[in-house]
Amino acid sequence: MIKKLILFFTLILGTAFNSFSQSMVEYEMAVNYYQRAEYDKAEDLFGRLFDKQPEMYVYYAYYYNCLIVLKKYDKAQSVAKKQNKRFPENPNYGIDYGYALKVDGKLEKAKDEYEKALKLINGNPNLASQISYAFRGRSEAEYAIVALQKARQVTGDKGLFALDLAEAYFQQNNKEGMVNSYLELLESQPNQLMYVQNMIQARLDEDDYAMLKNALIKNVQQSPDNFALSEFMIWYFVQQKDYETAFIQAKSIEKRQREDGSRILNLARIAADNLRWSDALMMYQYILDKGNTNAYFITAGNEYLDISMKQILANGNYTQEQLLQLETRFKNYLAQTSVSAATIPVQQNLALLQARYLNKCNDAIEVLENALKIPGVHARTRANIKLDLGDYYLISGDVWEPSLLYGQVEKDFKDEPLGQDAKFKNSRISFYRGEFEWAQAQLNVLKTATSQFVSNDALRLALIIQDNLGMDSTVIPMEMYARADLLIFQHKYTEAIATFDSLLLEFPAHPLTDEIAFAKGQIAETQQKWDEAIKQYTFVKTYNDADILADDALFRMAEIYEINLKNKQKASELYEELITKFSNSTFAVEARKRFRALRGDKISG
């Protein structure tokens, strides 16, 4: 008897499993037909599945959609109506019935069915979200909004279903209604601020932001203690690049919240990232004015001086007096805070200013030597200090101490970008010394460096050696070029140009001609001789259009026209030429970004 029962249940289970497996196969086929827009075949399969299991909503939904697409409205009405009677607790079926009537031209009957669905909310406002979603699924945004507003009337909760309302208004293309609903959401759920900001940014056009501003001001005035709305105001002004007003708003929140400056610091960084130097400096100064007991005093001071330096150097039209004043500010700040590991960035910037712009290399070396003596400095920071220090020793005329410093960094950070940079710098010293074959061997290794900047620099210098070493019976041209290159690094521009001119006079039409022109262009830029720089870069561009320097020259020219000469039209033309001719250039991405900005495209981020 037991064996017979086991056999019986086994047969039952096997039959059920086979039936389920067959249904899954048919379902997958039907979905495949539906996705390929073969609705007649999908209708047949989904119809069979639905007849077997009418309680399976997914079968019904696909079947109903097929009928609507195939314009079998009578059948769609019949199916939805039967389901509505079978499952009256599910409002989707009644709404589907109404929609099938509507597309069939039976508008009054459709309206009646929609009204029936809305009446369900009187007894159960919790159904409002489901009913609204069903209406939105049939592109009936107006009814979706009515459903949600009805639930608010029944419950007396003015902020109920704010997110659902926002979605319905968006479907209706009522952006003002959408914005107001999002702001209502923040009234009850301020933690949704970031989500709301992301949705607003994705869904509003530039022309809509005036409406957003008015809505924000109104809501902030009505709910002054809702900090999410105040935060939103700051975000709005940042989107509009109105950092001064954002700053005023941030200060207001800071005072009410009794904060210590972190909010202003973050805002200053955003302004700085967007190259709004003056706005950023104003915010940093606000933190500095709190005094050196403030938790962010040193951070703000470090960044204030960094931005001050960037602002002065950015357009290239700085004066010696400005640089000297900046140096004084650096020194005064360090005297006020005392030299420590926390002020290392300021010490590095001061040394950079002195060595590369003020011809005070010995002062820069002293600053960094003292920085290396500070306890508690991170190993990577120490390595970067050593790289800078090596550069400044080289500028001062010492070629042995730099090699030692670079070697230490290479050893400590082997196979890392920092170590690869050090190895390149040592290879360049070998080049300066005239040890061309040894330099080339080291540079060939660096061609595959993980740092793109190092690999590009290594490739370029290796090609200079490869293309020009042994071209003549003498290495004199290469030695002269290397000597001039070192003079440029040491900021001895007059001597460098004289060496280049001697090379071209003694070896006319030498393959180094375009390299020399590019170097002269860089010197001219440093000396703010923009016309001369453009002249040299134009020569490089036309000398050999396929040369590795052609894209470099194009980018440098475009930058000069954009930043220094304020000729946006010419800059745009050059960026476009670079994008077109050198799509694989390392400058292509940046050139495309700048071209779009000059053209007036809206660039996110």
Side-chain angles (χ1 to χ4, degrees):
M1 182 66 180
I2 292 175
K3 289 183 178 179
K4 287 182 178 180
L5 284 172
I6 292 173
L7 179 61
F8 174 75
F9 283 119
T10 302
L11 289 171
I12 292 295
L13 289 171
T15 302
F17 179 76
N18 289 334
S19 176
F20 174 76
S21 298
Q22 180 63 28
S23 293
M24 285 303 298
V25 170
E26 289 181 342
Y27 173 74
E28 289 174 4
M29 288 177 60
V31 170
N32 192 22
Y33 283 135
Y34 189 90
Q35 291 174 341
R36 284 156 44 186
E38 297 181 39
Y39 297 113
D40 51 346
K41 295 178 182 178
E43 179 214 345
D44 180 57
L45 284 175
F46 279 126
R48 278 190 268 162
L49 289 167
F50 171 69
D51 288 339
K52 292 178 188 176
Q53 293 179 281
E55 73 280 3
M56 289 287 287
Y57 184 79
V58 67
Y59 295 160
Y60 159 79
Y62 272 115
Y63 182 42
Y64 175 87
N65 287 342
C66 287
L67 294 173
I68 293 295
V69 171
L70 295 170
K71 298 184 178 180
K72 296 183 178 181
Y73 301 136
D74 287 342
K75 200 170 183 178
Q77 292 163 29
S78 176
V79 169
K81 188 174 182 179
K82 286 178 182 178
Q83 287 294 95
N84 193 33
K85 288 182 179 179
R86 189 178 289 155
F87 305 105
E89 72 283 356
N90 188 338
N92 291 61
Y93 298 117
I95 293 170
D96 282 352
Y97 177 42
Y99 182 74
L101 289 167
K102 178 182 178 180
V103 293
D104 196 23
K106 301 170 184 176
L107 302 184
E108 287 302 318
K109 288 185 178 181
K111 184 178 178 182
D112 289 342
E113 293 303 320
Y114 286 165
E115 293 294 337
K116 287 179 185 178
L118 292 173
K119 286 178 182 177
L120 294 174
I121 297 172
N122 292 336
N124 187 359
N126 292 326
L127 283 175
S129 182
Q130 184 181 353
I131 291 171
S132 173
Y133 187 80
F135 275 126
R136 279 189 280 137
R138 299 302 167 202
S139 299
E140 297 284 11
E142 184 177 349
Y143 279 99
I145 292 167
V146 171
L148 298 170
Q149 291 175 336
K150 196 174 185 66
R152 287 184 170 187
Q153 292 171 359
V154 172
T155 63
D157 187 346
K158 294 182 179 180
L160 192 64
F161 299 125
L163 188 56
D164 292 290
L165 265 171
E167 293 301 311
Y169 280 123
F170 176 67
Q171 188 180 62
Q172 196 184 40
N173 198 32
N174 182 344
K175 294 182 180 179
E176 186 171 1
M178 178 191 73
V179 165
N180 286 325
S181 296
Y182 278 136
L183 296 181
E184 287 173 352
L185 176 67
L186 293 180
E187 288 282 356
S188 57
Q189 300 181 53
N191 61 324
Q192 294 293 322
L193 176 60
M194 185 172 292
Y195 170 79
V196 169
Q197 288 171 345
N198 289 338
M199 297 305 293
I200 289 285
Q201 191 168 34
R203 291 177 167 182
L204 291 190
D205 297 320
E206 194 64 37
D207 295 340
D208 300 319
Y209 273 80
M211 173 269 294
L212 172 61
K213 179 182 178 182
N214 292 333
L216 275 169
I217 292 173
K218 179 181 176 182
N219 278 267
V220 167
Q221 289 174 343
Q222 291 175 347
S223 305
D225 294 329
N226 188 320
F227 289 105
L229 292 173
S230 298
E231 289 272 16
F232 205 162
M233 283 293 292
I234 296 174
W235 178 88
Y236 167 81
F237 289 119
V238 167
Q239 298 305 304
Q240 296 300 298
K241 310 296 183 187
D242 185 356
Y243 295 103
E244 188 172 353
T245 308
F247 177 41
I248 293 171
Q249 186 72 21
K251 283 192 295 183
S252 174
I253 294 178
E254 185 189 63
K255 288 176 182 177
R256 281 183 287 162
Q257 294 285 76
R258 297 182 180 178
E259 295 173 345
D260 53 5
S262 59
R263 182 186 304 277
I264 307 298
L265 183 66
N266 290 331
L267 186 59
R269 287 168 174 169
I270 293 171
D273 287 342
N274 285 276
L275 308 184
R276 298 294 291 267
W277 312 120
S278 297
D279 290 325
L281 291 173
M282 175 175 60
M283 298 173 205
Y284 284 125
Q285 187 62 56
Y286 173 82
I287 299 172
L288 292 173
D289 289 342
K290 291 177 178 289
N292 57 13
T293 58
N294 181 267
Y296 296 98
F297 182 82
I298 290 181
T299 301
N302 290 356
E303 294 179 21
Y304 177 92
L305 290 170
D306 180 58
I307 297 304
S308 296
M309 188 168 176
K310 286 177 179 176
Q311 184 184 38
I312 290 172
L313 300 178
N315 62 12
N317 294 321
Y318 51 82
T319 65
Q320 192 72 2
E321 183 181 356
Q322 287 177 306
L323 298 178
L324 289 170
Q325 289 174 350
L326 182 60
E327 182 191 28
T328 300
R329 267 185 272 167
F330 274 106
K331 289 180 176 180
N332 289 342
Y333 173 74
L334 289 171
Q336 184 182 5
T337 57
S338 76
V339 173
S340 67
T343 59
I344 287 291
V346 176
Q347 293 163 257
Q348 289 175 294
N349 271 338
L350 172 59
L352 173 68
L353 178 66
Q354 291 173 327
R356 297 194 179 277
Y357 297 94
L358 290 173
N359 196 27
K360 295 182 178 182
C361 217
N362 290 334
D363 290 354
I365 290 170
E366 183 180 356
V367 168
L368 294 189
E369 288 285 9
N370 289 332
L372 286 177
K373 297 174 185 176
I374 297 173
V377 177
H378 192 276
R380 286 188 180 278
T381 303
R382 290 180 63 84
N384 278 304
I385 291 172
K386 286 182 179 181
L387 291 180
D388 289 344
L389 192 54
D391 289 350
Y392 304 155
Y393 270 117
L394 189 56
I395 291 173
S396 70
D398 187 338
V399 296
W400 301 107
E401 188 65 22
S403 187
L404 178 64
L405 289 164
Y406 298 151
Q408 290 173 0
V409 176
E410 183 184 349
K411 180 182 177 182
D412 292 341
F413 294 90
K414 189 175 178 62
D415 298 325
E416 292 188 39
L418 205 55
Q420 291 167 347
D421 191 19
K423 187 179 183 70
F424 171 75
K425 288 175 180 288
N426 247 337
S427 302
R428 189 176 56 191
I429 287 181
S430 296
F431 174 72
Y432 292 151
R433 291 176 186 160
E435 300 165 356
F436 300 125
E437 292 181 359
W438 171 253
Q440 188 171 27
Q442 301 304 303
L443 292 166
N444 286 337
V445 174
L446 288 169
K447 288 179 184 178
T448 57
T450 52
S451 168
Q452 189 176 27
F453 291 108
V454 171
S455 63
N456 288 341
D457 288 343
L459 175 63
R460 182 186 166 196
L461 189 53
L463 285 174
I464 290 174
I465 299 172
Q466 177 183 306
D467 293 346
N468 297 284
L469 191 63
M471 291 289 294
D472 309 286
S473 58
T474 176
V475 295
I476 292 176
M478 277 294 293
E479 290 175 341
M480 294 177 72
Y481 180 85
R483 186 161 64 250
D485 200 33
L486 176 58
L487 289 168
I488 292 173
F489 191 84
Q490 295 173 330
H491 301 168
K492 297 177 181 178
Y493 302 126
T494 303
E495 294 95 319
I497 291 174
T499 305
F500 281 142
D501 290 343
S502 295
L503 192 162
L504 292 175
L505 186 63
E506 192 171 344
F507 302 94
H510 193 277
L512 283 166
T513 300
D514 58 334
E515 292 285 351
I516 292 171
F518 189 82
K520 284 185 174 182
Q522 290 179 304
I523 292 171
E525 273 197 82
T526 304
Q527 297 175 327
Q528 302 177 28
K529 298 177 180 178
W530 313 122
D531 291 340
E532 176 63 20
I534 289 171
K535 173 186 171 184
Q536 296 296 339
Y537 290 141
T538 302
F539 175 84
V540 174
K541 184 173 79 76
T542 56
Y543 182 79
N544 183 353
D545 215 9
D547 188 81
I548 192 172
L549 287 175
D551 60 329
D552 297 60
L554 261 174
F555 189 80
R556 296 302 319 133
M557 289 170 64
E559 271 205 327
I560 291 171
Y561 275 113
E562 178 188 7
I563 298 171
N564 306 108
L565 301 181
K566 311 299 182 186
N567 187 336
K568 294 184 178 181
Q569 177 62 36
K570 186 63 178 178
S572 183
E573 291 172 5
L574 291 168
Y575 284 133
E576 186 174 21
E577 184 180 351
L578 193 156
I579 296 164
T580 305
K581 290 184 178 179
F582 304 98
S583 59
N584 294 324
S585 167
T586 54
F587 299 105
V589 173
E590 181 64 21
R592 185 173 289 106
K593 179 181 175 182
R594 296 192 185 192
F595 172 72
R596 290 176 58 201
L598 288 170
R599 192 173 59 183
D601 295 0
K602 185 178 179 181
I603 309 295
S604 61

